[in-house]
Amino acid sequence: MTSPYRDRIETLAADARADREAFEPPADPPDEERAVRFLREGFGETLAVYVDARSGEWDRFDTDEFADLEGAMNTYLELYAACYGVDYDADFTVREAAEALIDTHNVVDVARVLTGVPDRDEPGAGSSWPTRDESGRSER
């Protein structure tokens, strides 16, 4: 059984695939404007679907929907990192990202926490949220 979010998820997954295929790395990273656009229009939208589904009636996703939602979310995190010149293989759960969003209310902070991009020493990287070490544990 599919959820009432199927159409939104299919659109997000198709958009993520199209954005990945059309992506041209910035000539002079970082391209912060494009990175934030990927977060707000892609990553944030995937999290919004998950949060909406888990609020109120607690709609369930079928296996394919969930895989498409997480795939789109991780694609947008990878595109975000690529805008900073970082080749990143994102493999996060949508639940983990949504919980971070609920805590921060800011998709940029969530992306920085999950990916560690940009590096905390880079100008403009002043997130107050912990980054993750190589094992995936958060650091403060």
Side-chain angles (χ1 to χ4, degrees):
M1 177 171 200
T2 61
S3 77
Y5 297 92
R6 183 72 216 157
D7 289 343
R8 281 178 70 190
I9 293 169
E10 285 177 350
T11 299
L12 286 166
D15 289 350
R17 285 188 300 273
D19 285 342
R20 180 192 302 273
E21 289 172 15
F23 183 78
E24 292 288 333
D28 186 26
D31 184 346
E32 292 178 350
E33 183 178 318
R34 188 164 46 151
V36 170
R37 190 172 57 248
F38 283 134
L39 293 181
R40 294 218 165 102
E41 295 174 7
F43 176 71
E45 288 300 312
T46 63
L47 296 182
V49 168
Y50 181 81
V51 170
D52 287 349
R54 295 302 187 247
S55 302
E57 296 295 318
W58 192 267
D59 291 308
R60 296 214 178 265
F61 302 114
D62 70 24
T63 304
D64 290 339
E65 288 174 328
F66 205 76
D68 286 348
L69 190 63
E70 283 193 340
M73 181 197 74
N74 283 309
T75 294
Y76 281 113
L77 285 174
E78 291 168 357
L79 291 170
Y80 161 80
C83 289
Y84 284 89
V86 175
D87 184 21
Y88 192 87
D89 184 20
D91 187 27
F92 298 99
T93 67
V94 69
R95 178 180 178 166
E96 144 182 53
E99 287 173 350
L101 181 64
I102 289 168
D103 289 342
T104 66
H105 301 284
N106 185 315
V107 293
V108 174
D109 279 345
V110 173
R112 287 178 177 167
V113 168
L114 294 177
T115 66
V117 174
D119 184 20
R120 291 173 62 124
D121 296 332
E122 289 183 39
S127 174
S128 60
W129 291 91
T131 57
R132 294 191 181 266
D133 67 15
E134 291 175 6
S135 69
R137 291 183 296 238
S138 63
E139 305 174 315
R140 264 231 187 231

